[in-house]
Amino acid sequence: MIKLYVMNGAQQGQSYALKGVKTTLGRSSDNDVQIKDDHISRKHLGIIARGHRCFIVDLGSTNGTLLNGEKIEPGKEFEVGEGSPIVVGKTIICLGEALPAGEMYSADFLARTKEIELEDGDDMGEEPRPMTHFKNMEFLYKVSMVLMGSLDVNEIFQKIMDHMFDLLKRIDRAAILLTDHKTGKLRQIISRSKYETGKSKLNYSRTIVNRVIQDGKPVMMPDTSQESPQNLSDSMEQVRSVMCVPLISKSETRGVIYVDSLSAPHGFRREDLYLLTALSSSAAISIENALLYSSNEARFKAIFDHMTSGVVVFEVVGEGEDFVVKDLNRAAQRIEGIDVRESMDKRVSEVFPDFNEPDLLEVFKRVWKTGKSEQHLVTLNENEKRPRWREYRVYQLPSGEIVAIFDDVTEKKEAELRQVALQEQLFASQKMESIGALAGGMAHNFRNILQAISGNVEYIETISPEKIEVEELAQGVHSSIERGVDLINDLLHFSKRGEEPQIADLDLADVILKTYDIVRRVFDRKIEIEMKLEKDLFVKGNHSLLSQVFMNCFTNARDAMPDGGKLLIEAKMSGDKVVAIVSDTGHGMDKETLSKIFDPFFTLKEVGMGTGLGLSTARGIVEQHNGSIHVASALGKGTQVKILFPRIEKGKIKKIEPNSQVINGTGQKVLIVDDERNVLEALTSLIKSLGYQTISVDRPTEAIKNYTKWAPDLVLMDRSMPEMDGVACIKRIMDMDPNSKIIVISGYNESGENGIDESVKSNIKGYITKPCGMKELSRALFDALH
């Protein structure tokens, strides 16, 4: 229910319920609300209620009606807000559902208004001024609105001055003085004079000002000529009237408002002092708040500019379709390399063109619509060599503006990526170490098996030299043995456990041609092969290893074209590089598969058709030759393998020597030591067929005994055996006979499995890696004996 509240006047504190659509107010008793105020007309005001809205109409009153400090036009309806002050005569009323609160209706304010009324007619020697009360109320209302609506201290000072000079016509000069809370000194903040247009300071009465500050009470001198000379200073010689009121906030005097009149005595009435005193209370609070705000604003501005994080404030354009830069701190300018003068009031796309890439604008729009903050890590210039990372926290301010706080985390992100790379590298190293250990053990055992097979097959060939079926069978076995050896070498090269290859100057075109000659017989006729090889493509490398690389590439290309296609093999010079390209028109690979092709044991071939070591071994060999290998592929479009090697000037090309012939012995005695019985028997049969006498033992202790008894010309010693390994056995034999001749034969490479002590290595006459054929074995025996 809407009520009428009397805030000030003879019936102060009373309230009346508005029962009808229209309520009349006036001095006469026939009104709905009777106000006993001689300045109110008999029928003064009409109040109209329409739902929850209220309207007032002045009924042609003599003294008029003020709404919010403005006189309303008689006979015309004006809508009234809840709690808005309405002045009728000398009474202040308001309308609303509840009693309003606030500075306008504080007890202090109403008490001062009452005092002014009580003093009305006390002219202090001047003629009464009609309607002064209404003007005072209007003045206080306007000033209060200014004070409540601003935190700009300079604006507050200027507005106070404007309204004082507007209302108190006899003011000649005015000043606002504040006490510095740090030094305690009084400082003149603003001054004004009717007679001076400049900004020179006012020469005020320090005696009066000091008294007001000390006592905290207002002082008025209507006529300085009537004052005792000891109460006046020299600065008061030309001053006739003075008012000075304290600015009190939190029970402490912060300064004063000082006004004077130079020409006429009795320039100010007591009413004016009450008015100035009423003003000073609100002014003191507002000045205190403004100064505090100014101080805090300066503090926050300092924090804003000295933050290490970048901060940008954006104003929203329309319904969030764009954002305009309104402020940014020094860190934002430093991080993004922009200037605040060139950025203000520009659209975000102009100042931060990279924002579209990570969809930051969409984040801004969501935050603006939902009011919920978001945090994002974004990558800028992702396609550049060195991308940049930013961590953004986006908020909405109470004003509706969007603020983005961000940090350049590029170095942190790069450090994290380096850490991940190191962890992956460590993991890969550990994996390679495990694979290497596995490969070494497999190689030893596998080579022993192949040695037994190879030795027995070659022995069969020696005893059945004219049987064609034996020769054909032997060739198939030897081919299988070579494939087994290749698999072992793949594993050892992949795990970097193989021996260092012999490097020579090679023509890469020659390597490719010889490799192609080997594989072309097994290519389907439906595959078209085209060769484009330039001449004199010289590189440093190992012919066998490089041939293995291209063998893998050709084989993979063939397997990718089961229904036919085209294989293009190119080799050319490109600057200081020799480039070989193997392209096929096969089924190709997707991105996920392409990312795994160099992983060990990864294969798309059926079980038994591939080991998954081809490309991983190929990459290891290429990198061993200081080269690089790159693979590009797309589903349904084929695959291209590009291999680059450092180019060298034409040198002396090392020709591959053909295998030497078998060299037979002349009855020399050979002691054969190997713990693998099958290997031992196969070696014994081979060496006997070469024309040597043999004694074979499967334990090192037996070898030592037989060496003393039999005194062999040569010892063929296995390296890895139980009870006592071959190296320890060799040391024992060399202690007994420093002139002993010993050859080591092993499933391990010479550098593998703990190596060989240099004192032993310098005295052995040869090292054979299993499996070895008759020609290699005969050459080793011959060289050691001669």
Side-chain angles (χ1 to χ4, degrees):
M1 177 182 292
I2 298 176
K3 291 185 177 182
L4 183 152
Y5 296 92
V6 180
M7 307 305 298
N8 185 32
Q11 292 160 238
Q12 179 179 333
Q14 294 186 23
S15 63
Y16 304 89
L18 304 184
K19 298 179 180 179
V21 175
K22 184 173 182 180
T23 303
T24 60
L25 179 148
R27 194 173 75 249
S28 173
S29 61
D30 59 352
N31 288 285
D32 297 312
V33 178
Q34 182 183 17
I35 302 294
K36 296 177 181 180
D37 182 343
D38 293 340
H39 294 80
I40 294 178
S41 299
R42 291 179 60 83
K43 289 282 186 178
H44 193 110
L45 187 69
I47 303 170
I48 303 165
R50 296 193 182 106
H52 291 283
R53 300 173 67 186
C54 285
F55 300 84
I56 62 173
V57 56
D58 186 273
L59 302 175
S61 66
T62 302
N63 293 324
T65 302
L66 295 178
L67 172 61
N68 291 332
E70 299 287 340
K71 191 172 183 179
I72 66 174
E73 182 181 346
K76 185 176 180 180
E77 291 185 6
F78 290 87
E79 186 171 0
V80 181
E82 186 173 1
S84 298
I86 305 168
V87 180
V88 288
K90 288 189 176 183
T91 302
I92 303 175
I93 64 171
C94 69
L95 304 175
E97 294 184 358
L99 182 67
E103 181 64 29
M104 277 296 296
Y105 305 109
S106 67
D108 182 60
F109 174 85
L110 295 175
R112 289 182 179 138
T113 305
K114 187 174 181 181
E115 283 183 330
I116 293 171
E117 293 171 357
L118 292 176
E119 293 294 333
D120 192 24
D122 184 2
D123 58 8
M124 299 293 292
E126 292 288 321
E127 290 297 322
R129 289 173 283 184
M131 296 300 293
T132 300
H133 172 72
F134 299 128
K135 292 184 178 180
N136 290 351
M137 293 305 300
E138 179 182 1
F139 169 73
L140 283 176
Y141 176 76
K142 288 182 178 180
V143 173
S144 296
M145 291 299 291
V146 170
L147 298 184
M148 288 188 294
S150 177
L151 285 173
D152 185 336
V153 69
N154 292 320
E155 181 185 7
I156 290 173
F157 292 145
Q158 293 291 347
K159 291 294 184 181
I160 291 173
M161 284 290 182
D162 291 342
H163 288 296
M164 282 196 304
F165 273 86
D166 183 54
L167 185 66
L168 303 175
K169 298 298 184 183
R170 295 202 177 192
I171 292 179
D172 290 329
R173 303 185 308 167
I176 297 176
L177 301 97
L178 297 180
T179 303
D180 190 308
H181 72 281
K182 292 182 179 179
T183 64
K185 292 183 178 181
L186 197 63
R187 186 162 58 94
Q188 191 173 143
I189 303 299
I190 186 171
S191 62
R192 186 179 297 181
S193 173
K194 284 183 178 180
Y195 309 109
E196 297 178 11
T197 56
K199 294 185 178 181
S200 59
K201 290 188 176 181
L202 182 70
N203 187 18
Y204 59 88
S205 171
R206 300 186 188 280
T207 304
I208 294 175
V209 168
N210 290 338
R211 188 197 314 171
V212 171
I213 291 176
Q214 183 176 352
D215 298 340
K217 296 179 180 180
V219 170
M220 183 172 71
M221 290 184 179
D223 188 352
T224 58
S225 64
Q226 304 298 317
E227 296 289 330
S228 172
Q230 60 183 359
N231 293 331
L232 304 174
S233 59
D234 294 339
S235 61
M236 297 289 289
E237 290 181 359
Q238 298 179 349
V239 177
R240 299 303 304 274
S241 300
V242 175
M243 285 194 301
C244 185
V245 296
L247 293 168
I248 299 175
S249 175
K250 298 179 182 177
S251 303
E252 186 176 340
T253 303
R254 305 292 185 178
V256 300
I257 297 177
Y258 173 92
V259 298
D260 63 23
S261 177
L262 302 179
S263 57
H266 303 290
F268 306 122
R269 303 169 61 189
R270 190 176 302 278
E271 179 184 343
D272 297 330
L273 182 62
Y274 290 150
L275 179 63
L276 199 59
T277 302
L279 169 66
S280 69
S281 179
S282 297
I285 296 172
S286 297
I287 291 171
E288 181 84 11
N289 290 339
L291 290 174
L292 180 62
Y293 176 80
S294 178
S295 175
N296 288 338
E297 186 179 31
R299 184 180 295 111
F300 287 125
K301 180 65 175 174
I303 295 172
F304 180 76
D305 278 333
H306 288 83
M307 286 177 66
T308 56
S309 298
V311 183
V312 186
V313 180
F314 299 94
E315 182 181 354
V316 182
V317 177
E319 294 298 315
E321 63 264 17
D322 208 343
F323 301 86
V324 173
V325 176
K326 301 306 293 182
D327 202 359
L328 66 161
N329 68 349
R330 295 173 186 170
Q333 298 174 61
R334 172 180 51 79
I335 293 172
E336 297 300 345
I338 54 180
D339 191 303
V340 63
R341 292 167 297 184
E342 298 175 358
S343 306
M344 296 298 290
D345 297 319
K346 289 188 177 179
R347 292 178 179 266
V348 64
S349 56
E350 297 178 62
V351 183
F352 303 98
D354 295 336
F355 273 22
N356 285 320
E357 187 176 345
D359 293 331
L360 266 178
L361 286 180
E362 293 301 318
V363 175
F364 284 10
K365 291 176 183 178
R366 282 200 306 272
V367 172
W368 178 73
K369 289 180 179 179
T370 64
K372 296 180 180 179
S373 61
E374 293 192 24
Q375 184 169 344
H376 289 272
L377 178 67
V378 299
T379 308
L380 305 178
N381 302 99
E382 196 169 2
N383 297 324
E384 288 188 357
K385 187 176 181 181
R386 187 187 184 217
R388 296 173 287 135
W389 282 271
R390 300 285 186 269
E391 189 170 52
Y392 277 89
R393 297 171 296 283
V394 185
Y395 306 89
Q396 185 180 38
L397 298 177
S399 62
E401 295 172 309
I402 297 298
V403 59
I405 303 175
F406 63 95
D407 292 289
D408 182 354
V409 293
T410 301
E411 291 186 1
K412 176 184 175 183
K413 189 64 179 176
E414 288 177 338
E416 290 175 355
L417 293 175
R418 285 195 296 270
Q419 182 69 20
V420 171
L422 286 172
Q423 289 174 346
E424 290 178 350
Q425 189 176 357
L426 176 62
F427 177 73
S429 176
Q430 291 171 338
K431 183 167 65 174
M432 293 293 288
E433 183 67 26
S434 300
I435 293 173
L438 174 66
M442 285 180 59
H444 172 264
N445 295 329
F446 200 20
R447 281 170 171 165
N448 274 323
I449 295 171
L450 294 178
Q451 180 64 60
I453 297 171
S454 175
N456 285 318
V457 168
E458 288 200 288
Y459 178 69
I460 292 172
E461 286 184 286
T462 60
I463 61 178
S464 306
E466 296 179 357
K467 292 185 178 181
I468 296 176
E469 62 273 16
V470 172
E471 182 180 354
E472 290 177 351
L473 180 63
Q475 286 179 354
V477 174
H478 286 311
S479 176
S480 296
I481 291 172
E482 287 177 4
R483 288 179 61 192
V485 171
D486 286 342
L487 176 59
I488 292 170
N489 289 335
D490 279 353
L491 277 169
L492 292 176
H493 282 300
F494 171 72
S495 63
K496 303 190 185 304
R497 295 237 172 177
E499 293 184 358
E500 287 297 317
Q502 294 182 349
I503 303 299
D505 295 347
L506 303 172
D507 186 343
L508 194 65
D510 182 55
V511 175
I512 293 172
L513 281 171
K514 284 184 169 59
T515 307
Y516 169 68
D517 284 341
I518 295 172
V519 301
R520 65 184 175 86
R521 299 184 185 89
V522 296
F523 266 66
D524 195 300
R525 292 180 179 273
K526 292 184 290 186
I527 297 176
E528 177 189 351
I529 302 175
E530 182 180 355
M531 304 277 285
K532 294 182 180 179
L533 305 179
E534 294 183 1
K535 297 180 179 179
D536 300 331
L537 303 176
F538 295 109
V539 298
K540 280 189 176 295
N542 178 275
H543 193 287
S544 176
L545 292 178
L546 293 179
S547 178
Q548 188 177 348
V549 170
F550 290 105
M551 182 82 73
N552 282 325
C553 292
F554 298 159
T555 304
N556 285 340
R558 178 200 65 189
D559 295 343
M561 298 183 288
D563 300 321
K566 182 177 181 179
L567 173 63
L568 176 61
I569 304 169
E570 303 173 85
K572 58 186 178 181
M573 286 188 291
S574 178
D576 60 349
K577 303 287 184 182
V578 172
V579 182
I581 303 172
V582 179
S583 306
D584 66 64
T585 59
H587 46 61
M589 295 173 282
D590 57 25
K591 288 185 178 180
E592 184 179 357
T593 303
L594 191 62
S595 67
K596 299 177 181 179
I597 58 173
F598 291 115
D599 292 350
F601 307 115
F602 175 77
T603 179
L604 296 175
K605 297 176 182 178
E606 296 178 8
V607 177
M609 298 299 293
T611 63
L613 290 173
L615 280 175
S616 58
T617 301
R619 183 169 70 172
I621 293 172
V622 170
E623 290 175 350
Q624 198 173 7
H625 285 73
N626 299 317
S628 60
I629 182 169
H630 310 275
V631 181
S633 186
L635 280 175
K637 296 183 179 180
T639 301
Q640 182 188 81
V641 181
K642 182 184 289 187
I643 306 171
L644 295 88
F645 295 105
R647 183 174 65 88
I648 62 170
E649 298 299 324
K650 181 177 180 180
K652 183 178 179 181
I653 306 302
K654 183 177 181 180
K655 300 295 183 181
I656 299 175
E657 297 292 337
N659 292 329
S660 56
Q661 299 298 315
V662 173
I663 305 174
N664 291 313
T666 55
Q668 295 96 329
K669 296 186 290 183
V670 179
L671 174 61
I672 307 169
V673 188
D674 199 304
D675 66 314
E676 292 284 344
R677 197 70 196 172
N678 292 336
V679 176
L680 183 63
E681 291 174 356
L683 287 173
T684 300
S685 299
L686 273 181
I687 292 172
K688 278 183 178 179
S689 67
L690 289 172
Y692 294 96
Q693 301 178 58
T694 62
I695 291 180
S696 55
V697 295
D698 59 3
R699 290 187 298 168
T701 52
E702 291 297 320
I704 294 169
K705 292 178 184 178
N706 280 282
Y707 188 89
T708 304
K709 294 178 182 179
W710 197 48
D713 299 303
L714 181 67
V715 178
L716 188 64
M717 178 75 69
D718 186 21
R719 180 172 169 178
S720 179
M721 293 178 287
E723 293 183 4
M724 179 187 299
D725 65 20
V727 175
C729 186
I730 291 171
K731 287 181 179 180
R732 293 280 297 276
I733 293 174
M734 290 175 62
D735 289 341
M736 294 186 296
D737 180 10
N739 297 318
S740 59
K741 296 179 179 180
I742 302 172
I743 295 175
V744 176
I745 184 168
S746 176
Y748 292 111
N749 293 327
E750 187 172 357
S751 59
E753 194 63 19
N754 304 323
I756 299 177
D757 190 278
E758 287 296 326
S759 62
V760 176
K761 191 175 182 179
S762 61
N763 287 289
I764 62 175
K765 303 304 179 183
Y767 192 101
I768 301 173
T769 301
K770 299 174 183 175
C772 63
M774 184 178 287
K775 293 176 183 177
E776 181 184 358
L777 182 60
S778 68
R779 168 58 67 182
L781 295 174
F782 178 82
D783 289 343
L785 289 168
H786 295 85

